[in-house]
Amino acid sequence: MDSELNKKIELSIKILKNSKNIVALTGAGISTESGIPDFRSPGTGLWTKNDPMKYASIDAFLENPASYWERAIDPSGLGNKILDSEPSKSHLALAELEKIGLLKSVITQNIDNLHQKAGNTDVIELHGTIFTAHCMNCKTRYKRRHVLEWVKEGELPPLCKKDGCEGILKSDTILFGESLPQDALSRAIKISRNCDCMIVLGSSLVVTPAAHLPILAVKNGAELIIINIQKTPKDHLARIVINQKIGKVIPKIIDKLKD
Ligand SMILES: [Zn+2]
């Protein structure tokens, strides 16, 4: 490993050790290591191949909810891949960072539940989660796995099971054209303002509001560490920028930190 990278790793460890209130901000890059494709990577990204407005917009869903749920039961589809995916060593490293008392919260742009599977207990999901669905009428929440069973039995679109409701069920993932969950957003803003160190992992920091959160953190005096395979528009705000695969860096940092 080159010495410049080693220096950055050593400095990151020092900063993390001296922090009392660390927040992680994560994006698709941390989940590619769990086999989930990066939605926005140039060339390989999902939305460069498929028209998002056709497959993942709220208008398309409302026009034909049955079609969304029909695709959802495709065993080789992305949804089922995500449901079955396992945390990467980077997810596990963040869970360790919480266990040793340094990491307070994870703010994520991912919908895959992998931080929770790894063991993090305070995860703020800016773009919702694929693991649950809700009734568009009465807001009752259902596990996606249950909804998929109903769809497999031919219920298209799947409907709310509350007496007399029969509202259409919609995944808790945020579709294009939908507003973000306000509770998650306001907590993310508050936490970003209050942290003394923010570590960004695998986010290209181009999608708002995630792209604004590091600005809030730095304005309030927090240290900023960015680990992402590509450069980001917020690199100039960071104390340390490491353009590497996260899996090659963060598990090493956490291992050394524990020594
Ligand atoms: Zn309902």
Side-chain angles (χ1 to χ4, degrees):
M1 188 181 292
D2 64 272
S3 64
E4 201 205 340
L5 179 58
N6 266 332
K7 261 188 226 160
K8 286 181 177 179
I9 287 179
E10 290 304 327
L11 185 56
S12 301
I13 292 168
K14 211 169 145 193
I15 290 171
L16 292 171
K17 267 188 177 165
N18 287 331
S19 303
K20 292 186 173 58
N21 187 354
I22 302 171
V23 168
L25 172 61
T26 68
I30 195 167
S31 291
T32 52
E33 291 165 11
S34 292
I36 299 170
D38 180 350
F39 290 31
R40 291 178 180 87
S41 278
T44 57
L46 212 57
W47 302 134
T48 48
K49 286 187 202 155
N50 301 309
D51 177 4
M53 290 309 151
K54 198 166 162 194
Y55 291 104
S57 74
I58 184 67
D59 288 346
F61 177 80
L62 293 175
E63 204 171 288
N64 192 351
S67 154
Y68 170 90
W69 286 109
E70 231 174 347
R71 270 182 285 116
I73 55 170
D74 174 0
S76 62
L78 181 63
N80 285 307
K81 201 171 181 177
I82 294 175
L83 287 186
D84 293 335
S85 60
E86 293 295 333
S88 66
K89 51 187 179 176
S90 302
H91 290 104
L92 296 170
L94 281 187
E96 277 296 307
L97 195 59
E98 178 180 323
K99 230 182 263 169
I100 58 177
L102 291 178
L103 181 70
K104 298 294 182 245
S105 309
V106 178
I107 303 169
T108 187
Q109 297 171 281
N110 301 333
I111 55 162
D112 53 34
N113 207 41
L114 288 177
H115 290 300
Q116 292 93 327
K117 274 188 187 169
N120 283 112
T121 57
D122 187 30
V123 182
I124 298 157
E125 297 167 310
L126 292 175
H127 296 167
T129 173
I130 200 169
F131 274 69
T132 53
H134 68 274
C135 166
M136 294 185 78
N137 186 30
C138 73
K139 311 289 179 215
T140 299
R141 200 145 260 145
Y142 296 91
K143 285 212 163 83
R144 184 181 182 94
R145 285 194 192 278
H146 295 160
V147 179
L148 293 181
E149 287 309 313
W150 302 332
V151 174
K152 280 178 198 163
E153 286 161 13
E155 194 181 316
L156 272 169
L159 301 177
C160 182
K161 299 292 174 278
K162 266 201 155 178
D163 271 353
C165 180
E166 298 204 328
I168 290 173
L169 301 187
K170 185 199 157 288
S171 168
D172 280 323
T173 45
I174 304 302
L175 299 174
F176 288 95
E178 267 190 301
S179 54
L180 297 186
Q182 284 309 303
D183 289 357
L185 185 55
S186 48
R187 264 208 81 211
I189 290 171
K190 193 174 164 200
I191 283 169
S192 300
R193 283 194 175 127
N194 290 336
C195 71
D196 59 2
C197 174
M198 176 176 276
I199 179 161
V200 177
L201 297 165
S203 172
S204 46
L205 297 177
V206 288
V207 181
T208 54
H212 288 319
L213 298 176
I215 302 175
L216 298 178
V218 169
K219 262 191 186 164
N220 286 277
E223 298 278 13
L224 179 64
I225 301 170
I226 297 179
I227 306 174
N228 192 49
I229 190 93
Q230 290 157 322
K231 292 185 183 351
T232 84
K234 300 293 181 287
D235 285 357
H236 63 284
L237 297 174
R239 178 87 179 278
I240 302 170
V241 176
I242 301 178
N243 293 130
Q244 285 277 341
K245 279 194 172 163
I246 304 160
K248 285 196 170 156
V249 181
I250 193 73
K252 201 169 282 173
I253 289 177
I254 307 304
D255 270 354
K256 283 192 169 185
L257 190 78
K258 287 194 300 182
D259 283 347

